[in-house]
Amino acid sequence: MVELAGVAKRYAQGAVTALEDVDLQIMPGEIFGVIGESGAGKTTLLDILTASEAPSAGSVTVLGRSLAGLEGKALRDFRRRIGVVFQGVHLLSNRTVLDNVLLPLELGRSGRATAARRRAERDRAHEMLEFVGLAETSERFPAQLSGGQQQRVGIARALAGRPDLILCDEPTSSLDATTSDEVLRVLVDARDRLGTTVVVVTHDLEVVRAICDRVALFERGALRDVIAVRARGLDRSDSYLDRARKELGA
Ligand SMILES: Nc1ncnc2c1ncn2[C@@H]1O[C@H](COP(=O)(O)OP(=O)(O)O)[C@@H](O)[C@H]1O
Ligand SMILES: [Mg+2]
């Protein structure tokens, strides 16, 4: 699904090494975590996987395709096959929730859309909003949704084009534990019900413990370790206050 061999990324005429000699394979159907402290190279790794940045050295294969020299139509076709969930969501505030989910489908059109095509796109966008549990919000605007709901709209948008792979940058970083779980549940559903391979970048170990099959540990641009995780799942029976009592030793 993803294969990196000897990948390095340097910025600022080589003054900054964001990634160094990374070898990594991600298998189809995995929920693969990427963790590391701020500046470890996590976002750079995602930028390389989406072909937004070219590596300074090494080779990258995603969905069976080498990303070297990818441009023009080939690059657009490749991008259509992956979904990206950005850090901090980035929904368009002047578009309804449904129209935000529609956006990648509209951008992915080649030529003029027929009425039937438009209908199919709207049906698909509705279906994805239902998938993330937000069908009833379709005519609202992003500002009328909570942070966790906005993040789920971002995931619906990323899934709209039926990607085989979605890449998520810190999808729960600004959310509380319960809301985080709702977002993570959608990622697990995407893997279980749609067969999507999921890469999730996070600094939150709880995310890894809850949903990841394996996790890569990055430190200052180097891949230090890849660990198989036995995900504990999302069925937290404890309430927030119960967890607080336990963790605080009451
Ligand atoms: N466009 C850029 N130009 C220069 N340096 C960059 C750029 N993007 C990232 N870096 C540097 O590369 C390193 C890794 O950054 P990043 O991939 O954003 O880390 P993380 O997402 O793990 O916090 C950091 O030292 C950062 O300052
Ligand atoms: Mg980052």
Side-chain angles (χ1 to χ4, degrees), residues 38-39 41-44 87 169-170 201:
S38 187
K42 308 183 295 298
T43 297
T44 301
Q87 188 164 12
D169 199 356
E170 303 276 7
V201 163

Side-chain angles (χ1 to χ4, degrees), residues 2 5 37 41 55 69 93 98 106 111-112 116 143 163 187 192 213-214 222 233:
V2 171
E37 291 181 305
S93 59
L98 185 75
E106 292 172 356
R112 230 169 54 77
L187 296 180
D192 291 352
D213 300 307
R214 291 193 302 150

